[in-house]
Amino acid sequence: MLNKFKLISRTKVISVVIVGASALLSACSTDSIVGQAKLPNGVADPELVKTPAGAIRAYAGALARLMPAYNCLIPAAGSISDELLSSSYGGPIGYYGPSYYTYLDSRNITERELNSTRCYSEVNAIRTQTRQAVGLLTDYPSPHSEAYIGHLRAVEAHAQIMLAESYCSGIPLSTVDYNGDYTLKAGSSTHQILESSLTLADSGVAMSADSVRILNFAKITRGRVLLGLGKFRDAANAVAGVPTNYAYQISYTTSEQTFARATGNSWTYTVGNGKGGNGIRFFSNADPRSSAVQIGTATSAFGQPIYYPDKFNRTGTTPFIIASGLEARLIEAEAALSDKDYTTYLEILNNLRRTAISPAMSDTTDPGNDDARLDLLYYERANWNYLTGKRQGDLRRLMRLYGRDQDDVFPSGQYLGATGSFGTAVSMPPSPDEYAFNKHYAGCLTTSE
Amino acid sequence: MNFQNLVVHGIAVVAIVAVPGSVVGASQRSIAMDVSVNSVLNTAKVRPGTELIGAFQSTADRPVASKKISLRLNNVSLQQVLDEIAKKSGIDLMYSRAIVPVSKKVSVNLDSVSVIEALSKVLEGTDVVPRPSSNGSVRLVRKETSDIVEVQQFGSISGRITDSASGNGIAGVTVEVKAIKRNVLSGQNGSFLLNDIPVGQYNISLRIFGYVPFSKVVDIVEGERTTLNVKLSPSATRLGEVVTTATGRQKKVELGNSITTLNVEEIMKTSPARTVTEILDGRVPGLTVQQSSGAPGDPARIRIGGIGSVNRSNDPIVIVDGIRVVGPQSGTEGRNSAVTTNWAVTNNAWAPSAIDQIDPNNIESIDVFKGPSAATLYGPDAANGVIVITTKKGKSGPTRVSIGGEYGLSSIPGKTPTAYFAKGTIRYTDKMAFCTAANRSVCTADSVAEYQLLNDPARTIYGSGNSSALTTSITGGVNAIQYSLTASVRDEVGILKLPDAEKAWYKDVTGRNAPSWMKKPLGLKSWSLSSMFGADINDKLNVTLSTGLTKQEQRRSSIENQIGRLMRSFIGEDGTIYSAEIGDMAEQQRAVRDFFQRTTSNSTNFRGNAALNWRPLSWFTAVANTGINTVGRTDGFIRPRGLQVQEESLDTVGAYNRGEVSTANNTFNLQGIVQNDLKWGFKFRGSLGANYFSTENRTLTVTSTNIPVGTNGIGGANVIARDQNTDEATFGWYIEPQINHKRLWFSPGIRFDGGNTYGSSIPLFRLPKMSFSWLASDESFFPEALKPYISSLRLRTAFGQAGRQPGPTDRLRLYTQVGNQSTVSTLGNTALRPEKSSEFELGFDIDMFEGRFTMDATTHHKTTNDALLTVPLPPSIATSSGSPRITRNIGKVRNTWSEISVGLIPVQSMMATWTFNVNMSTMNNKLVSLGKGVEPFNTISSPGNWEIRVAEGYPVFGLWTRPVIGYSDINNNGFIESTEILRGDSLVYAGQQSPKYTLGGNSSLSLFNSSVTMSANWTYSNGQTIQQRYGAYFLRGNVDPNAPLEEQATAILNSTATGLIQTVSVFELGGMAISYRLPHNIARKFKSNNVSVSLMGSNLGIWSSYVGKDPGVNSVVDNESMGTSDSGSLPRSRNWQLRFNLNY
C-alpha cells in the first residue's frame, strides 16, 4: 500500500505544482511584465493633437493640404484645357508611352484606365483633414476656434469646388469621421456637390465674421459655388465688398512646389498657344496677364518651343493665388451680363484692365452680342485667372450653363502627338482605386458636362 | 521478511548513497529517500506492504562500528539521539521510520562506548536492534530479521555512456541488471551508478531508442565499484535522434512533427557552404532560399512553406542555444537591423543578415521547425517556423585542436544573353533612336545589331574574386568541466571590377589613380570568436555559458546597380556607348557612371547566454536560460564631390551619409519539467514554462549633400539627422503535458501570449497544440515477416497554432507633425488583434534494411483565418500620406505543402560507402478570402500592365498581367506595332513568386575507409514566376521588324509593358567536393592525428528555361510583396576552394 501511496502522492504533488504555477502565470498581467508601450520616437504621439494647441496645429495642417492639391491640379486642369501642353514624349500607349499629362493634353481619358490617383487623393485629403481639424477645434476650443472652424468650412467647400469643376459628375463625398471610423458614399452629381459646398460656404461665412481675411475667402468661395449653380446674381451678392486687391494665396517651400519648377531649358509643360486650333494663344497674344517666355532653344517631344509662364518664378517660389478680388469682380461681371446690364459688365472688365495691372491695359470694347460678350468675359477670365486651376471649370460651365458644344470650348481636332486626335473628355474620372475599393461607387454619372 | 525484501531495501539505500559526498540534513534525507524508493519500486515490483528503510549518509570513508563515542542527552527524541550518534561516529545508519519509534523520548549518558553499544542502549525497550554491515554501515532492523541480513555481500557498478560518433554523453539510457531486476537511467552527461549489487557475475544491458543495444558480462566484487564505459553506435533508425525543442531535448520518435535536423559539423566537412542560409539551401524540404545578389554577404530570404502572411513578416524566427537572436532575413529588418531608416544611408546596398553572422564553424546542429504545429511553444512570431541552432559543446577528455584553412577563386559562370538593338530615327523629331516594338509606330529602324557589353572583355565589370578563411577550434574537458572555443576569419573579394577605360577616365578627372575599393568594389571581411563552457556543479546542477562574437566589414558599390543598364547598352562603331532606352539614343558619358559611390557596413554581432539546469529531484528538472544578442552596425555612403557626370546631380555636389544602428534582443526563459511513471505502463512528462522577450532598436542616420571638396565627411555639408528608437516586448507562458505508453506518445499543449503593441493593451491570446506519434513497427502485431526489412515505421500527426502580432502602430490614428502643422496620415484600427495560423500535419517515417533505405513523408496544411491585411481604401477618404490603407483581421490564407525525404545507402563497407539523399516538396499558397467587401488589390506603386496582386483564389503576391487576345498587322506595313496587339481589359494571373516544386539532393562516396570522400549536391525547382524587367532586349523580335510576326508579337506581348514574365524551371549543380585524408605517417609529419585536403566547387552549373542571367538572384529582400523581379541583379559567382584540415 505504501508504494501506491507514494505514487499517488507524487502525482498529487506534480498536479498541485502545475495547477498552482499555471494559476500564478494566468494571474500575471501582460502589461505588468512587458511594461507600457512607448511610441517609436519617429512617430508623433496622437494624444498630443488632443489639446487646444494641437487642434490649432491640425487647423494649420488642413490649410497646408491646399498646396499639394493645387500643385497637382493646376497642371492637370491646365492640360485638359488650352492652358498647357505636355512637353514630354507622346508615344503610343504602353510602358514607355505617353505620360499622364499627355492623356490629359489630348483629352483621351477613360474611366478606370487613367492613373489619376495623385490629384484626386490630394484634393480629398483636404476634406479629410478639415473634418479632423473641425472635430479637434470643437472638442479642444481656444479663443479663435469658431473663426478657425469657419475658415475650415470654407476650405472644405473650396476642395469640393475643385472636385466639381475638374472631375466628372458623380464624385463620392466619403468622409473620415472624427474620432471614429469612415463612411464611404456613392457618387454625387456636380450639382449635388455644389449644393453641399454652398452649405459649407454658408457656414464659413457665418463663422468667420470676425476675420476679414477669412471672411473674404469664404465669400469668394460662396460666390464661386453660386456661379457654378448658375445663380449669377446671388453669386455677385455673395462677393460684394471683397476688395479687388484681395488675394488668398498659398506660400510654400521650394521643395514642396514642383509644378512651376523648370530645370535648365526644360519644363514638363509648355504654355498652350492655340491648342487644338480653338485654344487661346497664350504666348502669341502677348497678353501681359498671361505672358510667357520661350526658354532656350529646347523643344518639346513634338518639336514645339517650350514656353514658360511669366507669372511664375522658374525656381518654384511664386505663391499660388487660389481666390482673389479679381475673381469677385469677374463674378459680378458675369452677373451683370446675365442681367443684360452690358454697361456694368463692360465697366467691370475695363476697370480691372485699368487698375488691376501695371502698366494699365487698354480698354476692351463691347463685342455687340451676348455670345461674343460671353466669349470676351471668359477670355478675360482666362487671362486674369491664368494657371490658377479655374480654366477647366470655366469651359465646363460654358457647356453646362450656356449650352456651348464641347468641341467649341475645349481643344479639339488633330492632336500633335502620336495618339492622333483629341478625345472627348472634359473632366477627369476619379482614381481607379475609387472604383476598386468603394463598394458604393458605380462610376461617373456623366462625363460630358 | 524474505530475501527479496532485503534486496529491495538495498536498492533504496543505494539510491540514497548515490548523493555524492554530502552530509545531508534530516529533512533532505527524508525527501531523498522518498524519491529514490519510489523511483525504483516500480521496476523492482515490491509487494505492497514492504517496509522502507531510511538512511544516513556520512562521509566518504567508512569508520568501523566499534568506534568509541560519548553521548549525554536528556529527554530528547530517539531521532535526535540517532542523529547525534551518526554525527559523532561518522557512520552510516540505515533504518525505516516505520519500525524505529523515532519520536520516543529517551535519555542517555554514555562515556566512550562503541557505536553498537550506544545504539543497543538507546534502542532498549524497542524491537529494533543494530546490525553492522559488511560495508561498514549499521542497519537498524527488527530482531527477528537480523540474522538474515548478515549473509549478503554487495558491490557496485558505474560508468559513462557516450555517442560513438560525437563523444557526447547520452542521457536516458536504461542500464539494466536483469538477473536481479535492477535498472537505472543514465544522467544528463551519460553517467550512471548502480550500488549494492550482490556480488557475482551479471549480464549488464544498455538500451535506448536510436542506438544499437549493448550488453556485457561483468563481475561485481564485494566492496568494489566496477567501471563500465560504453560507446553506443547509432542504430539504423533516425527516430532516436535528439531534437532541441522549446521544452528541452527530446527524441524525434516522441514528437509528432516533421522536424529536419542538420548535422552542421558533417555538412561543413564536405560542403563549401559558408553561411547558415547556404547550409539550409536545398537541405530542408519545404524551405526555400532566395537571394537578391551575388555580392559577398548579400542577405538571402528564407521561406518555410511559402508565404503565409500578407501583412506581417514571413521570416522564420531564429533561436541560438535557447535564446532568440536578431534573425529577420527580409524586409528592412533583414538588412542586419531592425529599423527602417537606413535606406538613404546604404543606397540600396544591403549588409549581411544577422543570421549569416553566426559562425557556421561553431554550429553543431540546426533543427528546423516548419510551422505552427511544431512551433507553437516558441511564442510570438513563430508562425513562419523556427530555426533552432545549437552550438558546439565541449567534450570531456584530452584537448582536441582542429585547424582548417581555405583559399578560393571565383568568377561569373557562363555568359549574359546577347541583347538586340535596332538603330533608327523618330519620325516627328528626326532624332536618332533605338527602335523597338514599343515605339515602332514612330521609329524607323535602319539596322539590327547584336551586342552584350557584359560579355565584352574590354568593357565588362565582371572580373574575378577570391576568398580565404581560417578556422581553429579547441574542445576538451576535465571531469565536470567542458569547453569549446572556435575562432574564424574570412576575407572575400567580390567579382566586380572597374574596367580599364573607367580607370583612365577617373585619372583624367581627378589626376589620381582610382583607389583599390573602386577597382574591386565588393568585399566582405569578418572574424568570429565563439566559446562554450559547461560545468557540472554536481549531479543535480550544471551551468552552461556560451558566447559568440562576429565582426564584419562589408563593402558595396553602386557599380552593382549599373548592371541592368549595362546589359542593354550598345557600343557604336566609333566606340561610343549608348544607353538603349526606348525613345532616344543618348550617348552615355560613361559606360559605368556610378563606380565612385561606396557603401560600407561595419557590424558587430554579440550573443551571450547562460543556462542553468537543476535537477533537485529525480522527477523534476528546472531550466533557466537568459541571454542577450546585440547587433551594432555603422553604415556609410560616400559619393565624393566633383565627379560630375550628370548635370545638377549629386555627382556635382557630393553626398555623405552615415547611419548607426544598434539592436538588442533580451530573452529570459524559465521552465520546469516533471517526469513520472503512472499506472498501467503510462509515463508522464510535463513542461511548464514562461518566456520574456524584448527587442530594442536605436538608430541614428545622418544624410548630407553638398560636401566640401576634398572631404569625406559632413563638415560644411547640408546635413539632415534623424533618430528612431523602438522598444517592443512580449511575454508568454505555456504548458505541455506528454503522455507515453510504450510505442505511443501524445502531447497536447497550450501557450498564452501577449505583447506591448501600441494603442491598446492586448490580453493574452491562446495558442493550442497537439502531437501524436506511434511507433507501429514495435507493436506486437507488426508482422514478423516484415521485421527483418523494416527497422522502424512511425505514423505521426500534429496540430498547432502560432501568432503574429500586428504592426506596432497599426491600431493608432496617427498624425504627421511637421512644424506647426498636424495632419492625419494613418486611420488606424483599434480592433486589431494578432493573426493566428493553424497548421495540421500528417506523416510517416520508415527505416528499412538496417538503415540502408529511409523515407519520411509529411503533408502540411496551414490556415490563417484572421490574417492581417492592410487593405487599400478609396481615395475619397485620402489622408496626407496619399491613398489610405487600413489593417484588418479579415483575410484567410492557406498554405499546403508536402514533402518527402529519401535516404539511400546503396553501398556500405569498409572500402566504400555511397549515400544518396533527396528531398522533394510541393508548395501551394492561396489567399482563400480577402474579407467581405474587400476587392483584390495591387501592392506595387505603379499599377498598369502588370501588378503584384493580392486576390482571392490565387497565391499571395502573385504576378498578374494583361491577357493577350491576339495580334494582326492591321496596317499591312509588314511589322507588328504595339497598337496592333489586342490585350484584355483586365489583368490575369501569371504565376506565383515562390517555386511550386523543389527538389534538393546530395550524394557522397567514401572510399578506402573514408580516406577519400566525394560529394555533390544539387537543387531543382519549378513553377516560380520571375519578371526580367529588361527581358525585351534579349528577344530579337522586339527590335527586328523583319522577324516573323509571331516572334515580334511574342516580344511585344511579353516584354514591352511588363518586362519578360516567365515561369521557370531551374536545375542547379550547387556544389561538388573531393576530400582526401592523408595517411597517418604523413599526418604525423605535421604532428597531427589527422590531415585532410579538399577541393570544393560551388555554383557549378545552372540549367534553366530562364531568359536572363541567373534565376537564383531575383528576390527583392526589402519588401514582403516583391520577390521575383530581376532588373539586373549581380549573378552568383562560381567558386573553387582548396581547403585543408588538421586535427590534433
Side-chain angles (χ1 to χ4, degrees), chain A residues 1-3 6 10 18 21 26 31 37-38 40-41 57 89 95 124 128-129 132 174 177 180 182 301 434 436, chain B residues 34 38 41 48 52 429 442 688 723-725 733 735 756 758 761 813 817 822 824 875-876 878 888 935 1029:
Chain A
M1 290 305 293
L2 198 52
N3 288 337
K6 286 294 178 184
R10 187 186 303 168
I18 290 174
S26 299
D31 284 350
K38 289 180 286 186
N41 62 352
R57 287 199 302 272
Y89 176 70
Y95 190 75
N124 279 299
T128 298
Q129 181 61 28
Q132 301 305 300
S174 305
D177 310 312
Y182 53 84
E434 193 69 42
Chain B
D34 290 345
N38 207 6
L41 285 182
L52 299 177
T429 61
V442 295
L688 182 69
D723 69 334
Q724 181 170 325
N725 302 336
W733 68 275
I735 181 166
N756 65 348
Y758 307 108
S761 177
R813 178 168 292 183
Q817 179 77 33
S822 292
V824 61
S876 55
R888 293 174 173 168
E935 295 295 319
R1029 295 295 301 273

Side-chain angles (χ1 to χ4, degrees), chain B residues 734-933:
Chain B
Y734 58 84
I735 181 166
E736 184 193 46
Q738 185 187 73
I739 306 293
N740 164 229
H741 186 266
K742 298 178 180 175
R743 273 83 47 190
L744 292 171
W745 287 266
F746 173 66
S747 175
I750 190 166
R751 182 179 170 102
F752 299 85
D753 258 313
N756 65 348
T757 307
Y758 307 108
S760 60
S761 177
I762 315 169
L764 292 171
F765 65 106
R766 295 183 299 275
L767 301 168
K769 69 163 285 267
M770 182 280 295
S771 143
F772 181 80
S773 174
W774 178 37
L775 192 60
S777 55
D778 277 17
E779 292 289 357
S780 57
F781 54 77
F782 193 76
E784 286 295 328
L786 295 177
K787 287 187 177 178
Y789 310 106
I790 297 178
S791 310
S792 67
L793 170 63
R794 178 175 71 129
L795 307 178
R796 53 183 158 75
T797 186
F799 167 82
Q801 289 187 333
R804 299 179 191 86
Q805 297 279 358
T809 58
D810 286 349
R811 289 182 173 81
L812 302 179
R813 178 168 292 183
L814 296 176
Y815 292 81
T816 297
Q817 179 77 33
V818 179
N820 65 345
Q821 301 162 6
S822 292
T823 53
V824 61
S825 55
T826 306
L827 297 182
N829 180 0
T830 55
L832 280 187
R833 59 190 187 281
E835 67 179 13
K836 287 183 192 172
S837 291
S838 305
E839 187 200 6
F840 170 76
E841 66 170 274
L842 181 67
F844 71 89
D845 312 75
I846 186 167
D847 291 4
M848 301 179 67
F849 310 116
E850 294 294 319
R852 301 284 282 271
F853 175 83
T854 60
M855 181 171 79
D856 57 68
T858 311
T859 179
H860 301 256
H861 295 257
K862 184 167 85 171
T863 304
T864 305
N865 281 307
D866 48 4
L868 291 163
L869 291 182
T870 299
V871 297
L873 294 171
S876 55
I877 54 170
T879 65
S880 62
S881 59
S883 294
R885 289 175 177 262
I886 194 167
T887 305
R888 293 174 173 168
N889 290 97
I890 51 172
K892 182 175 182 180
V893 180
R894 179 170 296 146
N895 289 63
T896 57
W897 74 99
S898 300
E899 56 197 45
I900 299 175
S901 296
V902 175
L904 189 64
I905 308 177
V907 177
Q908 189 171 34
S909 69
M910 290 294 285
M911 288 301 293
T913 300
W914 178 25
T915 64
F916 184 89
N917 297 293
V918 64
N919 65 72
M920 295 161 276
S921 58
T922 67
M923 266 178 272
N924 284 295
N925 164 248
K926 186 164 81 171
L927 183 78
V928 179
S929 168
L930 266 175
K932 190 178 179 183

Side-chain angles (χ1 to χ4, degrees), chain B residues 347 505-506 509-510 512-515 517-518 556-559 593-600 636-646 648-657 704-714 717:
Chain B
N347 196 31
W505 178 85
Y506 184 88
V509 172
T510 65
R512 303 185 301 271
N513 287 324
W517 63 262
M518 286 187 183
R556 301 290 287 268
S557 162
S558 55
I559 191 172
R593 66 184 181 203
D594 280 346
F595 57 81
F596 39 82
Q597 296 178 25
R598 177 178 59 159
T599 300
T600 55
F637 163 70
I638 177 74
R639 177 183 287 198
R641 183 185 182 114
L643 293 172
Q644 181 173 347
V645 175
Q646 292 175 298
E648 294 187 10
S649 71
L650 289 179
D651 299 333
T652 308
V653 298
Y656 175 75
N657 302 338
S704 67
T705 58
N706 211 10
I707 64 175
V709 174
T711 66
N712 287 338
I714 60 174

Side-chain angles (χ1 to χ4, degrees), chain A residues 248-273:
Chain A
Y248 187 97
Q249 64 185 30
I250 309 169
S251 299
Y252 37 77
T253 64
T254 307
S255 60
E256 290 172 331
Q257 198 259 68
T258 55
F259 154 63
R261 257 191 287 165
T263 303
N265 290 329
S266 65
W267 188 40
T268 311
Y269 316 94
T270 179
V271 167
N273 199 29

